[in-house]
Amino acid sequence: MTEAAMDPDVHVRFENVSKRYGTSVLAVRSLDLDVMRGEFLTLLGPSGSGKTTALMMLAGFEEPTGGEITVDGRRIDNVPPNRRGIGMVFQNYALFPHMTVAENLAFPLEVRHLGRAEIEQRVSTVLDMVRLPGLGGRRPDQLSGGQQQRVAVARALIFQPALVLMDEPLGALDKQLREQMQYEIKDIHARLGVTFVYVTHDQTEALTMSDRIAVFDAGTIQQLSDPATLYERPQTRFVAGFIGENNRLDGTVEAVEGQHVSVRLASGSTVRALAIGKDISRPGASVVLSLRPERLMLAGADAAADNTHAATVNQVVYVGDHIRVVCAAAGAGELIVKIPNRSTGQTLAAGSSVMLGWQADDCLALDP
Ligand code: ADP
Ligand code: MG
């Protein structure tokens, strides 16, 4: 019996799973991942990092070249895709063009030999769920792209699977519709309480929708955390750079003081930072400091800031909800500052000298 069989909260387990295509491409490397029952887990990463491959192995369309995948504690190697009881949604939703919406939805149920009345009932329920009531008689080409994608979501849910996989399902939609659908899918997940494994390369989408996010890079998971932890406490330089905007400063550790390190920057000034990296707890170690633009204070360089640094304003960009200030700090390169747009009175001109300030705990010292 595997461990997953003993822990009823683990729904899906990847154990040391690898996938090699041909002789050269190692798309997934020794992947260990537990997906908990009922959670919304997102695989997030750049294109080519192995997200789809991981999902396809779970769905049964690709075979691992190493390791094992268990669902409810049982190995699924020998179970064909259509017997895994998994609902799936892809970017190219691939509805049958000559069938109506209702026929498209009924199809997975007819395959499962459900009765006519039951099928009609479920088609109607699921159309309500994706907010398309009454559209069962249309053909796909009589629907907008967003509506077609809703039908694809409905089709994945209609046989009431315990596990739903989605691979970039909103990629083809425009920004506004995509954002609306993010909340709708999240809401459907909350109502159904089934396990969702979702793939996206869009960090905002991942932060918005997920209970937990696994950040993929080159076939491995760099970090697995809830959205807030991922954003506030990225553990590696890659994660800090991939999730959200991020100012980077290079430096050398001068001293280690408990949770913090003091770091000498190229400019010669010394700043305090939170020690995160594994190899930075000795004087002389190289570090990269990560600092979110919204945590930088401008001119604020008041007594409250743990660290201050003189800078010159290079550019002020009005973005609507915030003002983006590009600064040049001597020896520290370019630093982006985001100021919330609270008043129209603020005037800040390119060329002015400012003092930047930030808290030590907002400045993460990572391995270079
Ligand atoms: P993602 O979904 O994160 O963009 P993929 O899982 O699609 O990444 O791809 C991971 C790596 O595997 C990439 O280098 C990709 O080119 C390669 N790859 C994916 N599918 C195949 C395939 N069928 N044959 C060969 N290489 C593939
Ligand atoms: Mg992909």
Side-chain angles (χ1 to χ4, degrees):
M1 189 153 79
T2 66
E3 247 185 277
M6 288 180 279
D7 181 352
D9 291 337
V10 174
H11 194 164
V12 175
R13 171 165 288 178
F14 289 81
E15 220 172 333
N16 198 25
V17 172
S18 294
K19 175 67 183 181
R20 187 182 285 282
Y21 291 111
T23 51
S24 57
V25 182
L26 191 51
V28 170
R29 301 162 190 251
S30 306
L31 176 67
D32 287 315
L33 172 65
D34 281 355
V35 184
M36 307 310 285
R37 197 172 301 285
E39 82 170 324
F40 194 120
L41 183 124
T42 295
L43 315 183
L44 170 69
S47 173
S49 57
K51 310 179 297 293
T52 293
T53 300
L55 206 68
M56 287 299 123
M57 289 191 285
L58 176 54
F61 296 118
E62 292 289 354
E63 213 177 311
T65 42
E68 58 181 63
I69 304 174
T70 51
V71 175
D72 293 321
R74 284 185 293 275
R75 286 191 68 156
I76 51 166
D77 317 47
N78 295 318
V79 184
N82 60 340
R83 300 288 302 280
R84 294 191 183 190
I86 297 176
M88 269 172 284
V89 186
F90 304 101
Q91 179 170 347
N92 49 344
Y93 12 93
L95 302 173
F96 300 115
H98 51 282
M99 290 186 189
T100 65
V101 167
E103 287 163 352
N104 266 282
L105 293 176
F107 186 73
L109 302 181
E110 281 159 1
V111 173
R112 288 170 174 78
H113 305 296
L114 267 72
R116 186 42 51 197
E118 168 84 14
I119 290 179
E120 273 173 25
Q121 170 62 41
R122 286 214 204 172
V123 167
S124 148
T125 303
V126 88
L127 279 174
D128 283 346
M129 191 181 293
V130 298
R131 300 176 197 234
L132 293 176
L135 292 193
R138 299 249 188 115
R139 278 199 326 274
D141 65 3
Q142 297 169 316
L143 299 175
S144 70
Q147 288 173 326
Q148 290 182 39
Q149 189 57 310
R150 282 162 204 259
V151 176
V153 170
R155 190 175 54 178
L157 300 174
I158 198 160
F159 63 95
Q160 300 170 350
L163 178 58
V164 177
L165 312 183
M166 299 193 178
D167 192 349
E168 314 249 6
L170 309 180
L173 307 180
D174 62 44
K175 184 169 162 12
Q176 215 168 3
L177 191 54
R178 204 165 66 224
E179 287 172 0
Q180 185 190 343
M181 290 287 289
Q182 287 167 10
Y183 287 105
E184 286 184 23
I185 291 175
K186 187 178 161 72
D187 185 53
I188 287 172
H189 168 259
R191 274 190 284 155
L192 296 180
V194 302
T195 308
F196 274 42
V197 183
Y198 191 95
V199 163
T200 183
H201 65 273
D202 180 335
Q203 39 120 350
T204 310
E205 187 162 298
L207 291 173
T208 304
M209 301 180 78
S210 318
D211 295 320
R212 290 194 303 160
I213 299 169
V215 181
F216 270 63
D217 177 38
T220 61
I221 293 180
Q222 287 257 331
Q223 186 169 348
L224 174 62
S225 303
D226 63 274
T229 304
L230 202 60
Y231 187 82
E232 302 289 341
R233 291 288 179 270
Q235 296 296 304
T236 67
R237 188 179 150 159
F238 175 84
V239 175
F242 192 71
I243 317 281
E245 250 194 311
N246 168 55
N247 290 304
R248 271 178 39 200
L249 303 171
D250 295 318
T252 309
V253 172
E254 259 183 353
V256 183
E257 303 138 1
Q259 302 265 70
H260 295 95
V261 282
S262 58
V263 174
R264 177 171 288 272
L265 303 177
S267 61
S269 60
T270 300
V271 298
R272 256 157 56 80
L274 193 62
I276 303 277
K278 294 189 181 72
D279 302 323
I280 60 162
S281 6
R282 55 181 173 79
S286 296
V287 289
V288 52
L289 301 180
S290 166
L291 202 50
R292 298 289 189 201
E294 73 275 17
R295 296 290 164 85
L296 275 170
M297 297 173 275
L298 243 189
D302 44 68
D306 296 336
N307 297 310
T308 56
H309 207 292
T312 309
V313 174
N314 273 352
Q315 196 186 23
V316 181
V317 185
Y318 180 84
V319 190
D321 64 338
H322 70 274
I323 316 251
R324 191 181 163 82
V325 184
V326 184
C327 299
E334 193 170 81
L335 292 174
I336 312 286
V337 186
K338 277 188 190 172
I339 320 173
N341 185 7
R342 292 221 178 84
S343 74
T344 49
Q346 277 169 331
T347 47
L348 198 63
S352 44
S353 298
V354 287
M355 193 58 96
L356 301 177
W358 66 89
Q359 303 302 83
D361 284 353
D362 288 333
C363 184
L364 310 182
L366 305 170
D367 292 323

